[in-house]
Amino acid sequence: MIRELLFGFLLIHSSLAKHLHVHPGNNKPTRRTRLEAITGPGPGPGKKWLTLHGREPLVIAQGGFPGLFPDSSGAGYAAAIAMGVIGTLKYCNLQLTKDNLGVCLPNVKLDNCTNAATRFPKHQRRYSVNGRDIDGWFPLDFTIDEIMKEIRLIQNIYSRASVFDFVYPLLQPDSVFGMEPKGHLWLNVQNDAFWSSHQLNVIRYIDESKQYFVADYISSPEIGFLKAMAASKTFDRIKTKLVFRFLTVVEVEPTYKETYGALLKKLAMIKTFASGIFVPKNYVWPIGKDGYLQPATTLVADAHREGLEVYVAGFASDTFSSYNYSYDPEVEYLQFIDNSQFSVDGVVTEFPGSASNAIACLAQSPKPTKKVVDALIISHNGASIDYPGCTDLAYKKAINDGADIIDCNVQMTKDGVAFCLDSADLLGKTNAAMAFMDRSTSVPEIQPKNGVFTFDVTWTEIKSVKPLIQNPFQSGGLLRNPKSKNAGTFLKVPEFLELAKKNASTGILIGIQNAAYLASKKGLDILQSVNEALKNAKLNPKQQILIQSDDTSILEKFKNSNPTYQRILLFSKPISDAPKPVTDNIKKYADAVNVVKKSIMPESKIYITNGATKIVEQMHAANISVYVSGFSTETLSMQLDFYSDPYIELVSFIAESIDGVITDNPKTASAFLRSPCVDPNSKAAFVFQPIKPGDYLAQVEPTVLPPASTPIPPLRVTDVVDPPLPPVNAAARKEADSDKSGGDGGGGSESGQRRMAVDVVATMLLLIVVFFLMGC
């Protein structure tokens, strides 16, 4: 059965495409097809690692791949094998049954990771485990037959996918070991004293099972167990290494009755019975209460000096670790394995694919210069995951991080200044809510909710407010770089262009929206402002200039006046189908489209991809490039079958032959596109592996799925073509110019009239007081 599970999982990855997509006039197969053919030896010359023995760090798959599948499930272990580096160790947290046989489970209790409570409601018990009384369902109250026949695994972390609950049986260590021709197994014995107190014997179980499996590593937080294991006549030190596991610094080790913090100072003693130590992440890189990294400890160096290997636990891509990593899980692994000072000897992780990506790919090429895949990296408001969007700091970091194109969505102020900001509404992007709440108004042509709009305030007033970092996933507890939440300054369009000009390899994207409203209602000519700025900037002819808008009439004007600019038609909402009459019309106005991720891979109601559309194929058939927006590194920005890994998400979209990514984190996209593991001509044994959209959804039991969403209707020509732009309303402009209230914080003309009335009354009162005093 286990081999069938493994075969089924590997089949998913081998069937990335069943047909060949070829671009018009291009006989080269698309990215998806080329990815299938990658085979061969490693990604490049061997790297010199700072591990104890100079070998690359181990990837230890804790419970398989519990980031998507239930912990310790066959599908999870199969995923770890399929997506991990060669030699990935399958980690089994050993528990014992009534008949002294082993099962792999994340916890000593069954009720938080299986359906034991509902299958056996009368089996609840209370036991003392390490001095604490715990209520629940325990494996020692069941025989192995009862467990294997009646109990199924469930997801033990509620924020993760529950759609694979009640599907997979529990596994014994020999089954996990035997999933590969040459088995690899890490056996963790967490509670030997507990089992011994109930007349169960872990060492006897391991000894009796050696004809079925031999663990590469055995770890435990109990010194007594490890010493007894080492003293066993049947223990083979050559085949199996013993590792002492540290719990939190304040917990007490049951044999020596000392805290684990105190035992850190006795590494020489630990070396007498163990070859390595197994510690939580903060033993190596502490994180302060503010969420930022503190200086590394000397633990790795101290342990290596004693000849002890160091293995680190606690890696999970879908949990917050430190703001220093900008939510990129691979960056965190690199902090532990490739920091120029030391490298831990292995990482124990719930997402072994991410650890494998970091070790086998990203650490192999720390300073790559050339992109391996020819897809554009376009920033979204600069590096907006690290700094407030559209500020000088966000743009400078995007350039330094490897963005090909930096973007400026142009907004207009009341006094006609064009500057960069994500939208015309200042709320959420600045602290204007406090400064200009009296300006809050409704503009249905712009957005359905009230806002404080840039065209109602002056540039001087905008400079008086602070930028505000946007936190699109704040409701899920994910904040962006709080130390820099108000850092940077907004740029006028000429200043943005001057910044780009200093970096000749960096192109620009100018976004233009609301031109019709600005012209007719505010008398502002945004097109003239952009054209003048571009003309005066005198950019390097080699720099790419992209003009983006959701209005075809704007793109048409640039087609006539500046045919060298690439024009992008923006679709801010998902689209599902673009028939040929539609793409033919798009081509009249645009060279490319910008679509959201769901337009390429629709999302099911359970946050798993629901197949792929033909949008890319349809656009490419009309010779229209496809850029995809919405990329970030927060786990909540991705669908679950991307394993909370931005690199797996990126390679899956690149496999769909998209032409560029628009991202809040250009650094991650740059590292991905410059990695040898994404090279379509690579002979590497390990590469970034795309997910075929919809394959995981097909594995879900249909009865647990919610009703399907209403299909998105196909695009029509009327959805694309916009009416001509209205002329600039000179009267509205004249009225705005004559309104002097904007510069001193006033609102519109009515507000200004109210303020003038107040000023007149105040002046009259002052004159009366002066007259009265003079009369006295």
Side-chain angles (χ1 to χ4, degrees), residues 121 258 277 384 387 495 559 567 704 735 773 775:
E258 294 185 70
I277 59 174
S384 52
Y387 292 104
E495 294 170 331
K559 179 180 179 180
R567 291 156 293 117
V704 305
E735 181 181 350
L773 290 174

Side-chain angles (χ1 to χ4, degrees), residues 679-702:
D679 184 355
N681 301 310
S682 169
K683 297 183 182 299
F686 185 86
V687 295
F688 292 120
Q689 299 189 50
I691 300 301
K692 185 181 178 186
D695 270 358
Y696 285 99
L697 191 64
Q699 312 305 313
V700 178
E701 178 63 36

Side-chain angles (χ1 to χ4, degrees), residues 677-745:
C677 294
V678 77
D679 184 355
N681 301 310
S682 169
K683 297 183 182 299
F686 185 86
V687 295
F688 292 120
Q689 299 189 50
I691 300 301
K692 185 181 178 186
D695 270 358
Y696 285 99
L697 191 64
Q699 312 305 313
V700 178
E701 178 63 36
T703 57
V704 305
L705 294 174
S709 302
T710 304
I712 301 171
L715 279 177
R716 300 168 299 176
V717 173
T718 53
D719 298 325
V720 172
V721 180
D722 296 290
L725 288 175
V728 175
N729 186 340
R733 178 75 254 141
K734 186 176 180 180
E735 181 181 350
D737 289 338
S738 64
D739 182 4
K740 303 300 183 183
S741 62
D744 59 9

Side-chain angles (χ1 to χ4, degrees), residues 30-77:
T30 64
R31 173 72 186 148
R32 164 174 281 184
T33 307
R34 286 181 277 138
L35 281 167
E36 293 179 37
I38 298 174
T39 56
K47 178 182 175 66
K48 184 176 180 181
W49 295 94
L50 298 178
T51 54
L52 179 61
H53 300 296
R55 294 187 290 268
E56 73 176 28
L58 287 174
V59 176
I60 300 108
Q62 181 177 333
F65 221 131
L68 183 61
F69 299 102
D71 194 302
S72 306
S73 65
Y77 285 119

Side-chain angles (χ1 to χ4, degrees), residues 421-439:
L421 191 65
D422 190 36
S423 74
D425 187 1
L426 290 167
L427 299 181
K429 290 87 179 174
T430 70
N431 63 347
M434 297 297 295
F436 303 127
M437 191 47 70
D438 62 325
R439 316 284 182 90

Side-chain angles (χ1 to χ4, degrees), residues 306-321:
E306 297 293 342
L308 288 166
E309 295 174 323
V310 180
Y311 302 96
V312 181
F315 292 94
S317 303
D318 59 351
T319 59
F320 173 76
S321 183

